[in-house]
Amino acid sequence: MGKDTQGTILPTYENLCAEVLEIIERGPEATLPNFNELALLQFRFQYAHNDTFRQFVDAKKVDPAHIDRWEDIPLIYGDAFKSNLISSFPLENSILGLITGGTTSLTQRGQIFRDEWGQKLVFAANRIMTKTYVFPDFDGEKRCRLLILAPSPEVAPSMGMAIGMEQTLKNFGSPDSEFLFRRSGIDVKKLVVYLRESERTGAPLALIGATSAFVYFFQACKRDGLSFKLPEGSRLCDGGGYRGRFGVVTRDDYYKMVTDILGVPAHYCVNTLGEGETATNLFDDSLYRYIKGLEPRERSRPVPPWSRVRAMSVDDLTPLPDGEVGLLAHWDLANAPTVLSLITDNLGYTSNDSTCCEIVGRAKLENNKISSLPDENAIEGSLGDTPIFRMLETYVNFTLDLKMRLAHLKGTQPSVREEVEARPTSVASCPQVIDEMLLASTDEEAARRVEESLAAFERQANDYSE
C-alpha cells in the first residue's frame, strides 16, 4: 500500500492490476457494481505515480480529493501520447512498446509502453472480447483456420494491430492458420488457394484483418470476376478504418461485397474499433446477437463492465444523451499502466442507456473550432452509412503541451498548420502503412514509404527491448 499526495491510502500497483485482470476474466456479460470506486482508486494512483498526468490534472486545477464520480476524472487528450511518455509504472520495466498514429495526426508518431502487468491486461481484455463477439459459437478449445490480412509482428514488430492479430491467431487459430500480408501486400495467390480449399472441404474460415485490405481484395475480385462460396460458419472481422484509397465504399457496399464475393452473410461480419491509447477493443455485436438468438438491431458496440464510453459535447466536453454525436471518451480500467481516462477525436454516439457506442468518423475543424459534423471528403472509421459520415482523418489540436500552454492564454488559438509544424519527427500512422503496403508491389514511391515506416517500427521494438 502507498499514499497519495493527500495521504489517502492507495493499493499497490500489483494489487490494482490483479483486481482488474480478475474482472476482465469474468467476461463482458458480467456486472461490476463498484466501477466508480475502482476508477477513483486508479485515478488517484495514476495522479500519484504518473508525472505527465499529474501535470495535466494540475493544469486543469482539479483536486483528486474532491472528485467522487468517475465521470469527473479529467480526460487526457489522445495526442498527448505523441509528445509525452505517459506511464504509471517505472519505464525501465517496459516489455511491450508500440508505435501509434494517435487519433488525429496522419503522420505524428506516438509511443505507448506497457510492463508485464500491462501486457497481461491488454492481452486478456482483447482475448475475452474477441471470444465473445467474433467467436461466440466456439466452446472449449474449438478453433478454426484463421487467414490474417494484416502485417505480422515479424514484419511490423511494434504495430499494435500486428501484435493483436498474433494473439488472436494463437488463441483461436488452428495449426494451418497463417498471416497472408507481406511487405508488398496480400499474398493473393495463397489466399485464393485457401478460399477454394475451404469451398471444397467444407471447413469454415475466419478472415481477420485491416478493413482496407479487405476492400482492396474485394475490388480486385470484382475486376477479375472472382467469387467464392465459403462454408456456413465462415466469418470476417475487420478493423483499422478505411480512408477511401481504393474507391468509395460505404458500409452497405462493404457487406454486399462480402456476400457477393465470399458468400458470407452480413451478420457474420464483425467490425472492431481499437486504439493503441486505450487497452480494450470494442466489437460490434451483430454475430453475437445472431448466435444468441437475440432480436436483430442496428449494429452497436457493447462496452464491457471494466470500461465506460461517453460521447462528449464538442463545445464544453460535457456528456451527451444517447443518440447525440460527440467526441468519444473512454474510461478503461485495463489502462492501469498508462492513464484511465482518454478523449479521442473519434465522433460517435452512445445507445442502450450508454452501455453501447458507435463511431461515425473523425472530427473536423471549422473556423478553428471542432465541428460535431464529420468531414464529408473521405471515408473513415467503420465505413460510413451515408455521405455525411465519410471521414477525413484531420489535424485537431489536442496536443497536451499545447493545451497546457493555452490554459494560460485565453482567447488564443494556433492555426492547424502551426500546430502540425510544431510537432517532432514523424512517421506514417498504422492504417497509412497498410495502405502503402497494399500498393508496394506496383508503386515504387509506396514501396519506399513502406520501408521507411517498417524501419521505424523495428527501431521502436529495439528501443524497448534493449
Side-chain angles (χ1 to χ4, degrees), residues 211-213 215-217 219 242-249 434-436 438-439:
T211 310
S212 57
V215 173
Y216 176 88
F217 178 66
Q219 298 288 40
Y242 176 64
R243 285 152 181 79
R245 190 72 174 268
F246 311 113
V248 174
V249 178
I434 289 172
D435 282 0
E436 300 290 357
L438 290 166
L439 297 170

Side-chain angles (χ1 to χ4, degrees), residues 82-123:
K82 298 174 185 174
S83 51
N84 300 270
L85 293 177
I86 300 176
S87 172
S88 297
F89 66 91
L91 277 171
E92 59 267 24
N93 294 338
S94 298
I95 64 168
L96 180 65
L98 305 177
I99 287 180
T100 174
T103 57
T104 58
S105 169
L106 287 172
T107 57
Q108 175 62 46
R109 164 174 120 180
Q111 296 178 327
I112 299 171
F113 294 94
R114 291 188 173 92
D115 63 350
E116 185 175 356
W117 274 109
Q119 181 172 272
K120 285 180 182 178
L121 291 171
V122 70
F123 284 178

Side-chain angles (χ1 to χ4, degrees), residues 62-313:
V62 172
D63 183 350
H66 295 154
I67 298 292
D68 56 13
R69 301 189 319 148
W70 62 265
E71 295 97 324
D72 298 328
I73 297 171
L75 292 157
I76 203 165
Y77 303 98
D79 268 14
F81 287 88
K82 298 174 185 174
S83 51
N84 300 270
L85 293 177
I86 300 176
S87 172
S88 297
F89 66 91
L91 277 171
E92 59 267 24
N93 294 338
S94 298
I95 64 168
L96 180 65
L98 305 177
I99 287 180
T100 174
T103 57
T104 58
S105 169
L106 287 172
T107 57
Q108 175 62 46
R109 164 174 120 180
Q111 296 178 327
I112 299 171
F113 294 94
R114 291 188 173 92
D115 63 350
E116 185 175 356
W117 274 109
Q119 181 172 272
K120 285 180 182 178
L121 291 171
V122 70
F123 284 178
N126 294 304
R127 170 176 51 82
I128 294 292
M129 294 293 283
T130 302
K131 168 66 179 71
T132 301
Y133 296 107
V134 182
F135 300 103
D137 50 341
F138 279 29
D139 296 322
E141 297 300 316
K142 182 177 178 180
R143 292 170 174 261
C144 74
R145 188 181 214 176
L146 270 58
L147 302 180
I148 308 293
L149 302 190
S152 70
E154 286 72 27
V155 173
S158 54
M159 180 187 284
M161 178 181 283
I163 293 169
M165 293 292 178
E166 182 182 51
Q167 289 299 306
T168 299
L169 190 149
K170 286 181 178 178
N171 290 320
F172 303 102
S174 55
D176 55 358
S177 299
E178 190 173 343
F179 280 90
L180 294 178
F181 205 96
R182 314 304 184 208
R183 296 176 83 91
S184 57
I186 302 169
D187 189 335
V188 174
K189 289 184 179 179
K190 261 193 176 182
L191 177 56
V192 170
V193 167
Y194 293 157
L195 293 175
R196 293 296 184 208
E197 185 178 324
S198 177
E199 284 182 313
R200 187 178 67 255
T201 64
L205 292 174
L207 286 85
I208 303 178
T211 310
S212 57
F214 284 114
V215 173
Y216 176 88
F217 178 66
F218 294 154
Q219 298 288 40
C221 287
K222 285 175 64 177
R223 185 178 62 248
D224 296 341
L226 280 176
S227 65
F228 309 85
K229 184 63 177 175
L230 294 184
E232 183 177 353
S234 297
R235 65 206 64 200
L236 272 75
C237 179
D238 74 290
Y242 176 64
R243 285 152 181 79
R245 190 72 174 268
F246 311 113
V248 174
V249 178
T250 67
R251 182 187 302 215
D252 287 342
D253 294 335
Y254 175 80
Y255 294 138
K256 186 175 188 305
M257 286 193 293
V258 173
T259 301
D260 291 349
I261 293 169
L262 297 180
V264 175
H267 55 264
Y268 267 85
C269 299
V270 180
N271 176 264
T272 180
L273 169 63
E275 300 184 62
E277 296 83 5
T278 190
T280 304
N281 292 345
L282 300 177
F283 296 79
D284 78 50
D285 62 356
S286 57
L287 179 55
Y288 171 86
R289 295 186 69 82
Y290 175 78
I291 295 297
K292 298 294 183 182
L294 301 174
E295 183 179 352
R297 67 183 184 192
E298 183 179 354
R299 287 174 185 261
S300 59
R301 303 172 194 276
V303 180
W306 60 88
S307 296
R308 297 291 185 271
V309 175
R310 294 291 183 268
M312 312 297 281
S313 166

